[in-house]
Amino acid sequence: MSDTGDLRELYQEVIFDHNRHPRNFGRLADANRVAEGHNPLCGDNVTVYLKLEGGRVADVKFEGQGCAISTASASLMSEAVKGRPVEEVEKLFRSFHAMIVDDNVAPEDLGKLEVLSGVKEFPVRVKCATLPWHTLHNALLGKHEAATTE
Ligand code: ZN
């Protein structure tokens, strides 16, 4: 088996694990920002709860129902942004988006989020992976209308 095959298998394991056991799943009682997102193409729904404190994401949780990719992406996202300054979170959002939609951009400092890089080979799944991030972005902006991938 090639190295690429091994890596892909490892990435899939991480995605399956986050789908089966989503991290930071549930309602955040003391959230001061909330946003909802829908991906009509797949039927994914996600609600992102944030507790912003002193310019950083002090806490984050999410709820919703979606496919394996959207759930795993939301779970990985919650781990990646927790405790980070808002500016870094926005930068991470742009890097993650670029990794998935633009082949020419090398993922920089995406860490574990890189496991979702294979999604770009499946255009129909791209919106599943980016939905939680668009929703997070809206929560950070304090937007109340639902985020949509359309
Ligand atoms: Zn989906």
Side-chain angles (χ1 to χ4, degrees), residues 18-130:
H18 275 264
N19 177 47
R20 273 195 303 261
H21 310 287
R23 319 300 197 266
N24 305 302
F25 189 86
R27 180 179 283 268
L28 185 62
D30 57 351
N32 50 20
R33 295 289 177 89
V34 181
E36 283 177 43
H38 309 293
N39 173 17
L41 204 67
C42 178
D44 308 314
N45 291 305
V46 68
T47 303
V48 173
Y49 300 93
L50 292 180
K51 187 186 178 189
L52 294 185
E53 219 171 48
R56 66 185 188 97
V57 175
D59 208 354
V60 54
K61 281 196 166 199
F62 76 98
E63 278 185 325
Q65 281 194 319
C67 65
I69 295 293
S70 71
T71 302
S73 181
S75 174
L76 284 156
M77 176 188 81
S78 71
E79 278 193 335
V81 306
K82 204 174 196 170
R84 287 223 200 190
V86 170
E87 293 150 45
E88 277 184 33
V89 169
E90 290 287 17
K91 201 177 155 219
L92 206 57
F93 167 55
R94 288 193 296 272
S95 301
F96 180 77
H97 200 262
M99 173 182 78
I100 284 188
V101 302
D102 188 352
D103 273 333
N104 299 315
V105 176
E108 44 170 275
D109 300 327
L110 280 168
K112 218 192 214 179
L113 296 172
E114 217 183 306
V115 301
L116 287 161
S117 60
V119 164
K120 69 180 164 217
E121 289 166 42
F122 308 95
V124 87
R125 288 283 174 230
V126 165
K127 289 175 175 180
C128 303
T130 55

